Amino acid sequence: MAETGPLGSDLVERLEREARGRFVKWDGKLWRSLLDGPATLLAQNFAATGSEAVFMAWLTLLRDAVGLGYVAANGQGFMHLGLCELVPKLLPAMPPVRQAQALAELWNLGENLSARDAWLERIFVRQARGLQSLDDLSALVANVAAKVGQPPSRKLAGSETKLHMIALFEADSRFLPGAISYLSPTVVAVFDRLRSTPDGDALALGVWLTDPPEILGPLSGVKPPQAAPPEHDFWANTKDVRITELAASARNDFSALCALGTSQCLFAMLPKP
């Protein structure tokens, strides 16, 4: 591909004209910033041996991602990570015969995630940052599916356990943890016991029960569980001096969690690896 590349061609202008006609909330400023950033980087990395056709396919996908809102100025979603960070870095190193297919696989995964719960996309973003090749996308999907959707291999019963203190105030300085609900075997929603969203919905944070647990950020569209008394006897048996004045608790075969009336932290008991 010539060094000037297609970035200076009429085709780029045509893509932008089409976008203004197709997308109601077209963000021309964001588009231009992406041309100056990841598009220029990919063009440079493709300069010697890259395919102009593959570059233009990526640029068209990037244009559509901006128009559809998959790529936004905050740069937080999987599509943004994939198209704007992973592709410029990893696509030029792939065999040319695999490049177009890899773009399609990344796009399809991003579209699928956009229709799923936000917490799942956040997990994919965190895991995808470590990708060394776009050939690893299938393994990434299988790995996340196993970690999130499948029951863990070790149960609480009969295992040595570890108690984790999760500082929810790091995600929301005013958050007061209350009711806890499992969204999957390893992901929970923790609900603020006093506040709700401006629309009157439940205010919740997601937590992924890895070792150590990871806060996934705010959740939307989740409903708190039916009120149930916390398991005082279970948590008293831990004999941990930090566990006082239980406000709420939840448990499955693989983890146990509790919130305290005097703390902004969530406590999670998990089997030791």
Side-chain angles (χ1 to χ4, degrees):
M1 192 163 64
E3 225 173 77
T4 54
L7 282 176
S9 72
D10 292 339
L11 186 52
V12 172
E13 295 299 328
R14 178 173 66 79
L15 288 174
E16 187 169 354
R17 285 197 306 272
E18 291 173 352
R20 288 195 296 266
R22 287 176 54 193
F23 302 113
V24 176
K25 296 184 178 181
W26 172 250
D27 189 339
K29 182 178 179 181
L30 173 60
W31 166 249
R32 287 293 168 179
S33 73
L34 296 174
L35 291 180
D36 292 338
T40 297
L41 177 60
L42 183 57
Q44 291 170 346
N45 290 343
F46 262 16
T49 59
S51 161
E52 187 165 320
V54 172
F55 180 89
M56 290 312 303
W58 169 81
L59 196 62
T60 302
L61 290 178
L62 182 66
R63 186 276 310 268
D64 291 352
V66 172
L68 294 167
Y70 294 152
V71 169
N74 61 25
Q76 294 181 351
F78 178 84
M79 198 74 89
H80 191 286
L81 173 68
L83 291 177
C84 301
E85 298 182 36
L86 298 181
V87 166
K89 179 174 66 173
L90 302 178
L91 191 66
M94 299 190 75
V97 295
R98 271 283 296 141
Q99 290 173 351
Q101 184 180 358
L103 280 179
E105 291 169 358
L106 188 147
W107 177 267
N108 289 338
L109 177 56
E111 275 204 315
N112 288 336
L113 288 173
S114 72
R116 301 291 297 274
D117 294 320
W119 59 264
L120 182 61
E121 182 175 22
R122 291 171 193 160
I123 289 175
F124 267 92
V125 167
R126 295 180 185 206
Q127 298 295 290
R129 290 194 183 280
L131 285 178
Q132 299 300 309
S133 170
L134 293 181
D135 279 325
D136 296 335
L137 281 173
S138 295
L140 170 70
V141 173
N143 185 45
V144 172
K147 288 182 176 179
V148 173
Q150 299 299 318
S153 59
R154 304 192 67 185
K155 294 185 177 182
L156 281 179
S159 298
E160 189 177 358
T161 61
K162 180 179 180 180
L163 191 62
H164 300 264
M165 186 171 69
I166 307 163
L168 297 179
F169 58 82
E170 293 179 354
D172 181 342
S173 62
R174 297 172 57 200
F175 197 85
L176 292 174
I180 305 160
S181 177
Y182 281 90
L183 304 178
S184 86
T186 61
V187 177
V188 296
V190 186
F191 296 86
D192 193 298
R193 63 178 180 266
L194 295 181
R195 294 184 297 148
S196 58
T197 69
D199 296 328
D201 297 327
L203 185 67
L205 292 174
V207 178
W208 188 19
L209 300 175
T210 55
D211 186 10
E214 298 183 33
I215 302 172
L216 297 174
L219 303 177
S220 59
V222 292
K223 298 184 181 299
Q226 292 185 340
E231 294 186 280
H232 293 283
D233 291 343
F234 176 88
W235 287 98
N237 287 336
T238 68
K239 297 182 171 54
D240 191 295
V241 296
R242 295 171 294 180
I243 307 300
T244 60
E245 299 184 42
L246 289 181
S249 67
R251 180 159 56 109
N252 65 10
D253 288 340
F254 315 99
S255 60
L257 303 107
C258 72
L260 308 182
T262 56
S263 174
Q264 288 184 277
C265 295
L266 177 73
F267 290 85
M269 181 185 296
L270 304 174
K272 284 188 176 179

